[in-house]
Amino acid sequence: MRIGVLSRNMDYWTTKKIIKAGRFRGHETDFIRTGDVQLMVDDVYFDAFQGSKSFREVGVVIPRIGRSLTDFGVLLLNHLELMGIPTTLSARGLATARNKFATMQRLRGAGLRIPESFLVASKIKAGDVIERTPPPLILKLLSGTQGVGVMKVEKVSDVGPIIDTLVELKQLILIQSYIPNPGEDVRMFVIGDEVVGAMVRKASPLEWRSNIHLGGKGVLYAPTEAEGEMAVKAARAAGVEIAGVDMIMSKEGPYMIEVNASPGFKGLMKATDVDVPGLIVEYAVGKAKK
Ligand SMILES: Nc1ncnc2c1ncn2[C@@H]1O[C@H](COP(=O)(O)OP(=O)(O)O)[C@@H](O)[C@H]1O
Ligand SMILES: [Mg+2]
């Protein structure tokens, strides 16, 4: 079996682990630099190349597409779909997961619990925001990652200046109710229709954002069956087969916060001992062209 691992850099920890897991299982596993891929289409044919090599020789593609190439990545995945090449991430899944409001729309459509979310594209009166979503509230840029672009506004008098500044910077702004929590959320790692591992992420002492990249610590978490089902439902609603689903636990039940389409797994492997890259490869091989 030939497996193609699409990523920006073959030295990324996750990329190396997936390639190693593929080779360990006896598969010819190649790194393909996302930005080097060339797409072609005419009235009779579709193809995608890396140098002179066509993707048609690959049995399955495992995409790990970073933020800097989301737009190209969506076109690339769409192209592979048209060519009939199996992948572990769909174009729709990538496009949805990379937009926090589109994700909220899908999660709501699936009947999952989400924070109250407003999207604004132009100047809005601070009074209206405060009336709808009283502080503390969360402001997010639509396509941030690793906690960057997520802000908490606690004082009523700070709402106006911050929103005005973001509008001035031509950003769409997602205004979200703050779900009270002690600097903790839960990351569920979903592969197909299963949660393969989960951890509570505890924010570093100087933070309220619990991202591992910001110093958050992962601790093994055993989800209830219902929580596991919600994570799988969230991943499916976003159209992401290999997903990092973030949720905040509350008295009312879990709130779905985010679905990540290229989830890291270093922190999760440390917290859970699960062989994530091995499971990713096995899932990919299960989808491959026969
Ligand atoms: N509505 C919210 N209420 C409380 N905390 C939140 C909320 N949204 C995000 N957070 C915190 O901020 C972190 C980052 O937010 P998230 O939407 O997952 O963005 P990113 O893509 O940057 O990880 C979350 O892991 C959580 O700790
Ligand atoms: Mg997140």
Side-chain angles (χ1 to χ4, degrees):
M1 163 77 53
R2 272 183 74 172
I3 302 175
V5 180
L6 266 174
S7 169
R8 179 176 155 152
N9 190 329
M10 69 186 296
D11 292 326
Y12 285 158
W13 190 87
T14 44
T15 305
K16 277 198 293 197
K17 289 285 173 193
I18 294 170
I19 293 173
K20 203 170 150 197
R23 292 181 180 161
F24 180 74
R25 282 163 179 72
H27 303 295
E28 197 179 317
T29 310
D30 294 328
F31 165 71
I32 304 171
R33 192 184 311 281
T34 314
D36 286 351
V37 177
Q38 296 166 355
L39 306 178
M40 89 55 82
V41 59
D42 66 14
D43 47 1
V44 287
Y45 200 60
F46 286 102
D47 215 332
F49 301 94
Q50 183 201 25
S52 57
K53 261 195 200 164
S54 168
F55 270 70
R56 293 194 186 275
E57 291 153 35
V58 177
V60 62
V61 175
I62 303 176
R64 302 281 308 176
I65 293 170
R67 297 272 156 177
S68 60
L69 281 178
T70 296
D71 291 347
F72 180 65
V74 170
L75 293 169
L76 167 53
L77 296 181
N78 203 29
H79 215 75
L80 297 181
E81 277 163 39
L82 291 166
M83 290 169 66
I85 295 172
T87 66
T88 56
L89 175 62
S90 67
R92 176 177 90 87
L94 178 61
T96 304
R98 286 294 155 79
N99 182 309
K100 290 182 201 286
F101 197 76
T103 303
M104 288 297 129
Q105 291 172 322
R106 296 280 182 190
L107 296 179
R108 177 62 190 83
L112 289 158
R113 186 181 288 103
I114 55 170
E116 182 183 277
S117 300
F118 279 94
L119 182 67
V120 300
S122 60
K123 205 163 158 51
I124 173 174
K125 286 200 202 95
D128 291 345
V129 175
I130 292 155
E131 199 178 306
R132 285 183 193 153
T133 315
L137 56 80
I138 298 282
L139 299 179
K140 295 185 188 181
L141 305 183
L142 286 191
S143 69
T145 184
Q146 300 178 345
V148 177
V150 178
M151 293 156 273
K152 184 172 162 195
V153 186
E154 307 205 49
K155 268 169 55 193
V156 165
S157 58
D158 285 340
V159 172
I162 296 178
I163 290 187
D164 289 349
T165 304
L166 292 173
V167 168
E168 182 70 20
L169 292 171
K170 310 254 182 292
Q171 294 291 327
L172 297 184
I173 313 162
L174 170 53
I175 304 167
Q176 210 165 61
S177 58
Y178 173 75
I179 310 301
N181 71 87
E184 284 181 18
D185 68 1
V186 170
R187 159 59 63 91
M188 305 256 199
F189 205 100
V190 176
I191 300 184
D193 46 21
E194 222 186 313
V195 174
V196 300
M199 62 179 169
V200 177
R201 298 186 301 188
K202 297 175 190 285
S204 94
L206 299 172
E207 264 294 341
W208 56 269
R209 297 166 298 175
S210 57
N211 301 68
I212 299 285
H213 276 93
L214 297 173
K217 289 276 167 287
V219 179
L220 180 71
Y221 181 75
T224 64
E225 206 178 313
E227 288 164 358
E229 279 166 13
M230 277 183 233
V232 171
K233 199 171 174 186
R236 193 170 295 153
V240 182
E241 294 161 62
I242 297 176
V245 178
D246 297 344
M247 43 178 91
I248 294 179
M249 299 306 180
S250 77
K251 283 197 290 287
E252 306 93 79
Y255 279 84
M256 303 298 131
I257 300 295
E258 204 197 5
V259 177
N260 292 275
S262 274
F265 46 77
K266 195 174 183 179
L268 190 98
M269 284 179 74
K270 210 167 145 194
T272 64
D273 269 340
V274 174
D275 175 19
V276 179
L279 293 173
I280 289 176
V281 167
E282 281 160 23
Y283 180 76
V285 169
K287 290 199 72 178
K289 279 188 284 197
K290 295 292 169 318

